[in-house]
Amino acid sequence: MNDHTLQQLERLVEQCVRPVRTDFADKKRMREDLLSHLSSTFEEELERCGDERAALQQTLRRFGNPADVTHELQQTLSWQHRFSYFTEQIQARQPGESYLYLGMKHFLYALVLSILTSTLILIVRGNNVRTDPATMFWVFAVILAGMSITGSCSQWLVDGMGRALISKSKKSQLRYGLLSVFLYPAAMFAIHLGLMLGPRLGEYQISSSAMLAASATACFGPLVVWLMGPMMAERILYQEKWAAIDLTER
Amino acid sequence: MKELNGDKLRGHLETMVLSVLEEGDAHGLEVIRRLEDRGCGLLKLKEGTLYPALYRLQDAGKVKVVREEKPSTGRGAPRRVYCLTRKGKRQLAQGRQEWVQFADLMGSIIGAPA
């Protein structure tokens, strides 16, 4: 099979899979299955007719209309797949998306989540809630926003480390490794600071044990970044490879 | 005889897939081959529609992936080999029973007993 044929088959696979609203792992499985099937069909047809162009045409004819396949693939999805797709759209960086945009997305998501959580607590507990609603909302917002922004920073570091490992750039590996040392302590200090600046300013103070605990998290950053780096980079490179296929091309 | 295409097979594809997997484990292309062999050349299935059916069966626990095979060309993604589960065997038996009832009913309605 030459490169042109493989590109045509990949394009057909992407036509079927890209519009399907499911998570990364599911789409990967679909792409692998369809591409493997099409490659085998092509080889079978090539053996039969001996001409690559005719074999490709026959393979495409046998496969059927990609829009129908997309529709049927979409129909197979359970609510778990749909939920997983939705959370992935919010949490994970999509191809072409900047980390700033990802951070903003995470921040907005945290705000919505804190409003929902506070409202739910107020509804369930009613008058039994001792803390006033504004403080409760502030605590949730600060913690969730802190966690979500830390999440987007982690993704940036993990991705950078992964790419550095693939390109074997020692300098970049060192840079991302060093930056990751500050990630969790900075996040914890920021959360404490956010709580101090809340509506009941002055009542909340950072204790020395909290500062010690925040400093101790310094070792987790490099560990996360080194362990997840290669996995994340491969995932992003895979997504970028498939996203680069132009479906409008004739 | 006229060829049977996707529209006429709608609703029966899953039972057909289960029945060819009863013969033994198979990857997608092998499932298609077996279906076409059993259809004596009259069955014309759009191959892309097989995978949604396999996924539905897999999600329902009626088939499972037993192993992955490398493609003969050595290029591209591995092929997943599917097998029938106990639940799939029960579903197949039920599917056969339902088909006999359906064929009997249709036969008596249109005046062409099976």
Side-chain angles (χ1 to χ4, degrees), chain A residues 43-240:
Chain A
E43 295 300 333
E44 195 178 88
E45 289 297 335
L46 186 63
E47 210 170 286
R48 194 177 294 165
C49 67
D51 175 48
E52 289 229 353
R53 201 184 163 89
L56 180 62
Q57 287 305 314
Q58 189 62 9
T59 303
L60 302 184
R61 197 194 59 76
R62 276 174 59 175
F63 189 75
N65 182 2
D68 292 342
V69 179
T70 302
H71 178 72
E72 291 211 27
L73 286 172
Q74 189 67 45
Q75 298 293 310
T76 63
L77 302 177
S78 61
W79 71 266
Q80 289 99 325
H81 284 125
R82 288 165 209 261
F83 180 72
S84 174
Y85 168 77
F86 172 72
T87 51
E88 216 176 69
Q89 289 294 307
I90 293 169
Q91 287 177 348
R93 181 175 163 259
Q94 303 304 310
E97 213 173 74
S98 73
Y99 285 99
L100 183 68
Y101 181 80
L102 180 72
M104 281 163 59
K105 206 166 70 170
H106 281 178
F107 185 74
L108 284 173
Y109 180 51
L111 280 182
V112 171
L113 209 62
S114 47
I115 291 171
L116 288 177
T117 320
S118 312
T119 315
L120 196 70
I121 289 176
L122 285 173
I123 292 170
V124 174
R125 300 291 307 271
N127 293 332
N128 296 331
V129 179
R130 285 181 193 166
T131 319
D132 68 287
T135 309
M136 192 164 62
F137 168 72
W138 184 259
V139 170
F140 278 126
V142 165
I143 293 174
L144 289 170
M147 282 167 70
S148 59
I149 291 170
T150 311
S152 34
C153 290
S154 298
Q155 271 196 41
W156 171 64
L157 289 170
V158 166
D159 179 31
M161 176 59 87
R163 286 176 195 269
L165 285 170
I166 288 168
S167 66
K168 293 177 182 162
S169 162
K170 297 274 179 207
K171 204 175 156 186
S172 298
Q173 287 176 38
L174 188 69
R175 189 171 62 224
Y176 287 110
L178 282 174
L179 281 172
S180 66
V181 172
F182 301 102
L183 177 66
Y184 293 109
M188 289 192 71
F189 283 123
I191 289 173
H192 282 300
L193 198 66
L195 292 173
M196 279 174 67
L197 297 173
R200 295 168 83 178
L201 183 69
E203 284 185 25
Y204 183 85
Q205 294 296 325
I206 300 182
S207 64
S208 54
S209 57
M211 284 178 73
L212 196 69
S215 311
T217 57
C219 56
F220 293 120
L223 197 69
V224 169
V225 165
W226 276 94
L227 285 176
M228 293 189 63
M231 206 166 62
M232 176 63 94
E234 272 179 37
R235 178 187 164 125
I236 287 170
L237 291 175
Y238 175 88
Q239 279 181 322
E240 283 175 353

Side-chain angles (χ1 to χ4, degrees), chain B residues 88-101:
Chain B
K89 283 176 188 165
R90 283 200 299 272
Q91 177 63 45
L92 177 60
Q94 195 187 327
R96 281 177 174 144
Q97 210 173 358
E98 283 171 4
W99 173 255
V100 171
Q101 283 175 348

Side-chain angles (χ1 to χ4, degrees), chain A residues 1-12 35 42 52-57 60 245 249-250, chain B residues 75:
Chain A
M1 188 191 304
N2 62 35
D3 285 344
H4 175 258
T5 306
L6 183 63
Q7 279 171 11
Q8 291 299 308
L9 298 182
E10 284 179 343
R11 191 166 165 265
L12 178 62
L35 187 61
F42 174 78
E52 289 229 353
R53 201 184 163 89
L56 180 62
Q57 287 305 314
L60 302 184
I245 297 175
E249 183 192 324
R250 283 276 154 200
Chain B
R75 229 180 142 176

Side-chain angles (χ1 to χ4, degrees), chain B:
Chain B
M1 278 176 84
K2 271 176 123 181
E3 286 177 353
L4 278 176
N5 61 20
D7 287 339
K8 286 175 187 152
L9 299 172
R10 208 170 293 279
H12 303 294
L13 182 59
E14 287 173 26
T15 312
M16 285 160 59
V17 171
L18 290 176
S19 75
V20 295
L21 284 176
E22 194 185 31
E23 206 178 299
D25 306 348
H27 52 74
L29 194 60
E30 181 59 26
V31 170
I32 296 276
R33 278 188 203 130
R34 288 183 194 173
L35 285 170
E36 286 183 351
D37 284 351
R38 288 188 184 192
C40 306
L42 293 172
L43 184 66
K44 290 293 165 203
L45 189 69
K46 289 294 176 198
E47 296 181 8
T49 59
L50 171 74
Y51 288 90
L54 276 172
Y55 296 156
R56 276 194 296 272
L57 290 169
Q58 197 181 355
D59 283 347
K62 292 167 189 168
V63 301
K64 64 176 182 185
V65 176
V66 270
R67 61 179 183 279
E68 292 186 355
E69 278 177 1
K70 280 190 176 176
S72 53
T73 53
R75 229 180 142 176
R79 297 194 290 204
R80 290 188 175 85
V81 178
Y82 294 87
C83 81
L84 208 56
T85 61
R86 278 186 187 178
K87 198 174 173 187
K89 283 176 188 165
R90 283 200 299 272
Q91 177 63 45
L92 177 60
Q94 195 187 327
R96 281 177 174 144
Q97 210 173 358
E98 283 171 4
W99 173 255
V100 171
Q101 283 175 348
F102 176 75
D104 282 348
L105 179 71
M106 281 302 288
S108 62
I109 291 172
I110 65 170

